[in-house]
Amino acid sequence: MGVLRLGFVSTYLSQPLLDGFAMGASVTILTSQLKHLLGVRVPRHQGPGMVVSTWLSLLRSAGQANLCDVLTSVVCLAVLLAAKELSDRCRHRLKLPLPTELLVIVVATLVSHLGQLHARFGSSVAGDIPTGFVAPRVPDPRLMQRVALDAVPLALVGSAFSVSLAEMFARSHGYSVRADQELLAVGCCNVVPAFFHCFATSAALAKSLVKTATGCRTQLSGVVSAAVVLLVLLALAPLFRDLQRSVLACVIVVSLRGALRKVRDVPQLWRLSRADALVWVATAATCVLVSTEAGLLAGALLSLLSLAGRTQRPHAALLARIGGSDVYEDAGEFEGLVPEPGVRVFRFAGPLYYANQAFFLRSLYSLTGLDAGHAAPGGTERGPQAGVREQDPVGKDPGPESGTVVLVPAAAGFHTVVIDCGPLLFLDAAGLATLRDLRRDYGALGITLLLACCSPSVRDALRRGGFFGEEQGDADEEAQLFHSVHGAVQAARAHQRARARTDSRV
């Protein structure tokens, strides 16, 4: 995936998705550690509904909790939480982070060993930890054929986990992440260990939070961690035989404090954007009720649907002039704006493509008060004006030789429609056809359609789509495209005055 440059997919992992995922994954990790905090034995649940099944098992086994483990958990949690609060308040005074977790583990190991907590009270301890390495060997090709189908979803989920966690911590600490580089790193971390009988690996939220909580900031912390793990595997493993599992669980639970606090951001997120709040809640709930993999997938799908929904129904408004300036703003949002007589300035704050072309027309017709598609000749509802020709100038007598009568809806009250294309991000074939049909319908009613503030990409799309025609060329483009809304309005008024003078002479 890294070689194929598929890291761009990570751009669709929105901040609400990552925060909801962090919250849901933290609840899942917290649930998995409760059995160690209470010192009870419960079956290990896997698959969808793991959190709910684990909680039910914990409730049934709560009466069998080990008092020694419970007291140890309470003491360790109190010490770790107090140290974290003290470290946060005195962070500007401390040159180095307090190694509270290391001190707690060392002291707890000594207390457990000297007090014989496992033998006297049945406390759960780490037990015998094997030392040394297994001899490396080349993976069996026949085994690779058997696990190939399972490896594909495992690689997808693992890479999504790694990139999403990298993005989450990058936003927290103010640095950027290159997704393709992350994917290459995850691949290398699985290719080399494959020769040493290692499990498939990816980023882990619990361990990442522990390293963040202990003040790790650079890759040097990984070197130190690897050296310590190597030292433990080769020599120090027997020293941790009497370390209580509840102590390790406390270290993990305390590291989840920051992720669990994200739930306090939901009310503010709801006030800011209900769609983002829905993504947050749905991602977290799916992680807890189903699985973390399903939560990540559900959050990504909801984020895409939210994005599609926002572009499908963007904000539309009529603009009016601010006093005697050249600036035009939403007439419904600002007071004291001066509408241009005979000109309707329409703004559509989104792209124009196949999914929102109908909404674009409905908004335009509703705000201007004229349904050009129905009123124009050839529309869905033909009226007595069906004989009007598109090239006939509205308001001018076609002469005795003409067999048609020009009729303009009296309720229109305008002669020009200016579309502010500044927020128009892109046009597709359906959007271009919509503008072309709109110009035709307005032209049949004697109403001019002008475009203003088009971006270079929109201009190129209009040219490639033949919106200006092949015969007129640049002259026709200059007559329909303007660099500013005010320029388009002034051109429309000048054209209307010239037409009025011509009609008066006739």
Side-chain angles (χ1 to χ4, degrees):
M1 295 176 66
V3 174
L4 297 177
R5 301 295 180 182
L6 297 180
F8 68 92
V9 179
S10 65
T11 58
Y12 295 97
L13 300 176
S14 63
Q15 183 63 38
L17 184 153
L18 295 177
D19 290 344
F21 172 74
M23 176 64 186
S26 298
V27 173
T28 303
I29 296 172
L30 174 63
T31 302
S32 66
Q33 299 301 316
L34 286 177
K35 61 180 180 181
H36 301 304
L37 295 177
L38 299 177
V40 297
R41 296 182 180 273
V42 296
R44 183 178 180 180
H45 300 280
Q46 294 181 342
M50 182 270 292
V51 173
V52 177
S53 300
T54 302
W55 273 97
L56 293 176
S57 299
L58 288 172
L59 292 176
R60 288 192 293 264
S61 305
Q64 304 173 6
N66 187 284
L67 183 59
C68 180
D69 286 334
V70 172
L71 292 177
T72 302
S73 301
V74 171
V75 173
C76 290
L77 287 175
V79 172
L80 291 172
L81 289 174
K84 289 299 178 184
E85 291 294 333
L86 180 63
S87 178
D88 292 341
R89 295 182 180 182
C90 304
R91 181 178 301 175
H92 60 284
R93 299 180 182 178
L94 298 175
K95 296 182 179 181
L96 295 175
L98 297 175
T100 311
E101 291 82 0
L102 179 61
L103 294 177
V104 168
I105 289 176
V106 171
V107 172
T109 302
L110 292 176
V111 172
S112 177
H113 176 72
L114 297 177
Q116 296 294 314
L117 299 183
H118 174 64
R120 296 173 57 187
F121 305 104
S123 179
S124 178
V125 296
D128 294 328
I129 302 175
T131 59
F133 284 105
V134 180
R137 67 177 182 180
V138 179
D140 188 356
R142 293 174 297 180
L143 180 62
M144 296 174 64
Q145 295 177 1
R146 292 169 51 190
V147 301
L149 294 178
D150 294 331
V152 173
L154 183 63
L156 293 174
V157 173
S159 60
F161 264 75
S162 300
V163 174
S164 62
L165 290 180
E167 293 284 353
M168 182 180 70
F169 286 107
R171 287 189 175 93
S172 300
H173 299 284
Y175 60 89
S176 60
V177 171
R178 289 186 292 175
D180 293 327
Q181 183 180 9
E182 294 292 326
L183 294 177
L184 288 174
V186 173
C188 292
C189 288
N190 283 284
V191 170
V192 176
F195 295 89
F196 293 88
H197 307 274
C198 296
F199 289 102
T201 60
S202 65
L205 178 61
K207 295 178 177 61
S208 301
L209 289 173
V210 169
K211 298 191 72 172
T212 301
T214 53
C216 298
R217 292 292 182 270
T218 67
Q219 294 295 334
L220 183 61
S221 62
V223 177
V224 176
S225 299
V228 172
V229 171
L230 180 62
L231 186 61
V232 170
L233 288 177
L234 294 179
L236 300 182
L239 299 180
F240 295 96
R241 181 180 182 280
D242 293 325
L243 175 61
Q244 293 173 271
R245 295 180 183 269
S246 58
V247 177
L248 297 176
C250 289
V251 173
I252 295 175
V253 169
V254 172
S255 68
L256 302 176
R257 184 184 53 149
L260 293 174
R261 283 180 174 177
K262 293 182 181 294
V263 71
R264 298 185 299 185
D265 300 334
V266 176
Q268 181 181 1
L269 185 62
W270 176 263
R271 291 190 296 268
L272 177 64
S273 173
R274 294 186 177 183
D276 289 341
L278 178 62
V279 171
W280 194 104
V281 173
T283 303
T286 308
C287 286
V288 173
L289 299 178
V290 185
S291 65
T292 52
E293 296 87 351
L296 188 61
L297 178 60
L301 292 177
L302 280 177
S303 296
L304 293 177
L305 291 176
S306 173
L307 178 62
R310 292 175 181 177
T311 59
Q312 189 173 353
R313 299 180 64 88
H315 179 68
L318 286 182
L319 306 185
R321 190 176 179 182
I322 302 179
S325 67
D326 299 342
V327 180
Y328 291 75
E329 281 298 340
D330 188 350
E333 296 291 337
F334 298 92
E335 298 180 356
L337 303 187
V338 181
E340 290 293 333
V343 181
R344 298 292 183 268
V345 182
F346 176 72
R347 174 184 289 170
F348 192 70
L352 181 56
Y353 67 116
Y354 68 94
N356 66 2
Q357 57 176 342
F359 179 75
F360 172 84
L361 292 176
R362 288 197 305 270
S363 301
L364 176 60
Y365 294 158
S366 174
L367 291 172
T368 58
L370 174 64
D371 190 340
H374 289 169
T380 56
E381 294 181 5
R382 295 177 178 269
Q385 69 272 43
V388 179
R389 296 195 303 269
E390 184 176 344
Q391 65 271 20
D392 290 337
V394 175
K396 181 178 179 181
D397 186 1
E401 297 180 358
S402 175
T404 63
V405 178
V406 177
L407 297 177
V408 180
F414 57 91
H415 54 77
T416 304
V417 172
V418 179
I419 298 180
D420 180 10
C421 299
L424 209 64
L425 301 179
F426 64 87
L427 282 172
D428 69 348
L432 185 62
T434 299
L435 290 179
R436 189 184 295 114
D437 294 343
L438 188 63
R439 181 181 60 179
R440 179 199 63 204
D441 294 338
Y442 275 143
L445 297 174
I447 299 174
T448 305
L449 178 67
L450 303 178
L451 305 180
C453 304
C454 293
S455 64
S457 61
V458 173
R459 286 175 176 264
D460 292 340
L462 293 173
R463 293 191 190 101
R464 293 194 304 268
F467 181 78
F468 306 109
E470 299 179 356
E471 298 180 358
Q472 292 86 354
D474 295 337
D476 190 53
E477 179 177 339
E478 293 178 359
Q480 297 183 61
L481 290 185
F482 296 86
H483 295 290
S484 66
V485 172
H486 186 66
V489 171
Q490 294 299 325
R493 296 179 65 180
H495 179 71
Q496 183 63 17
R497 287 194 296 267
R499 177 186 295 181
R501 287 194 298 267
T502 303
D503 291 344
S504 64
R505 295 193 190 100
V506 175

